Amino acid sequence: MIAALVLTLMQKDANFVRFSAEAKRLTNLTVSVFYDPSRNIWRPPVESSEAVGMQGYTFWPSLLGWQTVIEAAKVDPKNWKPRVGKYYDALEQYFDRSGHAYCAWTYFVGNDDKFYDDNTWAAIACMEAFEVTGEQRYRTRAIDIFEGYVKGGWDGSGKPGGMRWGTKAGLEDRHDRTVSATAAGALAALLIGKTHDKAAYQAWAKRALDWIHERLSSTHGLIYDGFKAPGFERMNTIWTYNTGVPIRAAVEYSRQTGDRTYLDWAIKMGKACIDRSLSPMFDGAVSDPKHRYWYDSTFFVQYLVDGMRELSVATGDERYVAEARREADYCSANLRDKDGLYWRNMRLWTIDRDRFDLFKKLTGQTGPAMALDSSERAMDKASMQMPLAERPMAKTLLGNAGTARMFWLLAH
């Protein structure tokens, strides 16, 4: 028994060493490449996905840059805790104080383009920053966002119910009801409720989680994307984060309330996320299950890693975090480029010819055909006039911050 304990501790130490080292290296590189200190904004080196030209990144990747620093501060507080405030301040230019929310792009009078998932994620990040630093301004901001903006996005009619996606006038898709906003809203409520109006915030979270469970759960346990306005047909896409965020939120709800049924639900979702026969979660283009990995993008996968890690902590079942480590090892082996930065796509056959050839070597398959994703390439005017395969490749903040956060999550 003692020998087994020693082996377990050695394995945990090895995981910490390899993941924390890569997390530190990648986070430092991500900051040096994508953060512009002269303008205090996250900015792309070339025009590319999720950016407004060369001016800067939109809110979500910028927020994920900050979340990466917060996660780093949990693991290495000496080096990263003093930097949490700096990258929070970089987000202030997106904040609409009268609207109590962050805009999708920097705020200006009349900018009504806001997303509920952006802002529920922001509330989560603020509460995690508060827990790491003890600074009240983060908790105050989280409550302000939730009370002043997030609550207004809840559809209590049940037809279809859930959280709206966004609020920009005239755009029909902003009326979609999404898991991204609803699940993150539940988690944000639970984190806020630790120190503020606990009963009310737990009730809000329960309502949101129950809506996801009842309306968007597949038979195997994975979670559908939401409902499409105006007819509210179900959106059947299953992204990794659609299931990852509900897992973490359900675990947190069970932890706070003692309600085992939510942990049981999280376990069902978690088991589906390690079932390689489920191609909506794993890349169904791969024939051999041992070569199958989660199928979408690193910036979505890190949310699932977060949920799987918390599920292993709650249950003591290492299978969930073991799969998360397997996915992270796949990323470091196959998505890291020679410049030290990472590509976005988990599916190697969507990146470039070199990754397509690597995919064939890893799997022994000749197909599927290479299907290039434009988000891995430059988007300046000259590049956009070229055939897709000829456009210059371009790394992004979203892909690299997401990957770095994943490594930090697995380091603690």
Side-chain angles (χ1 to χ4, degrees), residues 29 35 44 71 83 98 116 165 181 205 239 246 251 265 270-271 273 292 306 321 363 377 393 404:
L29 182 58
Y35 176 70
E71 211 64 50
R83 307 188 215 183
S98 63
Y116 286 104
W165 188 38
W239 304 112
V251 167
W265 176 36
K271 286 181 177 178
C273 293
R292 285 185 173 176
D306 193 9
V321 74
T363 63
R377 296 176 180 259
M393 303 298 292

Side-chain angles (χ1 to χ4, degrees), residues 224-256:
Y224 296 114
D225 199 31
F227 295 98
K228 184 70 179 173
F232 296 119
E233 301 84 4
R234 190 178 71 194
M235 297 185 284
N236 289 328
T237 304
I238 294 178
W239 304 112
T240 49
Y241 79 113
N242 286 157
T243 306
V245 184
I247 287 174
R248 182 178 170 192
V251 167
E252 182 63 30
Y253 185 82
S254 178
R255 184 179 289 144
Q256 289 190 17

Side-chain angles (χ1 to χ4, degrees), residues 142-160:
I143 295 169
D144 182 31
I145 292 169
F146 210 96
E147 294 290 339
Y149 181 72
V150 172
K151 284 185 175 180
W154 177 258
D155 173 11
S157 70
K159 301 177 181 179

Side-chain angles (χ1 to χ4, degrees), residues 173-189:
D173 65 356
R174 301 304 199 268
H175 294 273
D176 294 350
R177 307 297 194 262
T178 65
V179 167
S180 59
T182 309
L187 180 56

